Amino acid sequence: MTISIINKSNNSLPAYETAHAAGMDLRANLEESIRLNPMERKLIPTGLYIELPVGFEAQIRPRSGLAFKHGIGIVNSPGTIDADYRGEIKVLLINFGAEAFEINHGDRIAQMVIAKHETVSWSQVEVLNDTTRGEGGFGHTAVK
Ligand SMILES: O=c1ccn([C@H]2C[C@H](O)[C@@H](COP(=O)(O)OP(=O)(O)OP(=O)(O)O)O2)c(=O)[nH]1
Ligand SMILES: [Mg+2]
């Protein structure tokens, strides 16, 4: 599948880093480096604008390496890029680590997964069909 993209940065386009990767890494588009202090969050621009086909979304997910090594996450993870969004893709990074973290232009800060989604309508009812689980949740299967 081919998707239209505008790249206002001088970074390379998001790309799959291995043959069967699900995510394409996104790079920061910065005029100057950004410092994220512990527990600080900042919106990081990518310079990318995409035109998703109807019925698709793009999910903006953290990179596990940055999470493991530096405690870097995404506040609204996974971020959702809607098919009708024409603005710049931005990434809301947060530093859960104990040390300040510097983001430089071109750094791979997140990954983007393109996914299909359903669009549903509701059938409002009074009763739902019964299941073995019923209303059990939030750990109700844990061994006592
Ligand atoms: O990590 C993200 C999440 C969202 N967006 C863009 C694309 C998305 O289509 C739009 C709106 O996102 P969302 O629906 O999550 O935010 P909202 O707070 O509900 O804003 P809106 O009222 O504009 O829908 O913002 C990003 O660039 N990065
Ligand atoms: Mg919304």
Side-chain angles (χ1 to χ4, degrees), residues 1-116:
M1 172 197 254
T2 305
I3 293 178
S4 297
I5 186 166
I6 294 172
N7 184 5
K8 295 189 181 176
S9 79
N10 61 5
N11 294 323
S12 54
L13 288 179
Y16 298 108
E17 304 290 327
T18 60
H20 304 298
M24 292 176 278
D25 286 347
L26 292 174
R27 295 176 184 274
N29 182 38
L30 302 175
E31 279 171 15
E32 51 191 44
S33 297
I34 286 179
R35 180 188 160 102
L36 268 188
N37 288 315
M39 291 314 294
E40 194 176 21
R41 63 180 188 268
K42 279 184 182 161
L43 203 49
I44 312 299
T46 65
L48 300 174
Y49 302 71
I50 63 177
E51 189 180 313
L52 288 166
V54 171
F56 287 79
E57 57 152 341
Q59 300 171 2
I60 308 300
R61 304 187 189 176
R63 294 186 67 210
S64 64
L66 290 181
F68 179 57
K69 291 178 200 153
H70 305 287
I72 299 301
I74 296 177
V75 180
N76 59 322
S77 178
T80 304
I81 309 298
D82 300 289
D84 53 2
Y85 182 67
R86 294 293 175 267
E88 181 178 12
I89 294 176
K90 295 182 180 176
V91 181
L92 189 51
L93 290 187
I94 183 163
N95 182 358
F96 291 117
E99 311 285 333
F101 181 72
E102 191 175 87
I103 304 155
N104 299 302
H105 177 71
D107 284 354
R108 290 179 292 152
I109 52 169
Q111 59 185 321
M112 180 167 69
V113 174
I114 309 290
K116 278 187 189 171

Side-chain angles (χ1 to χ4, degrees), residues 123-130:
S123 164
Q124 192 170 350
V125 298
E126 299 303 325
V127 179
L128 301 176
N129 84 343
D130 207 6

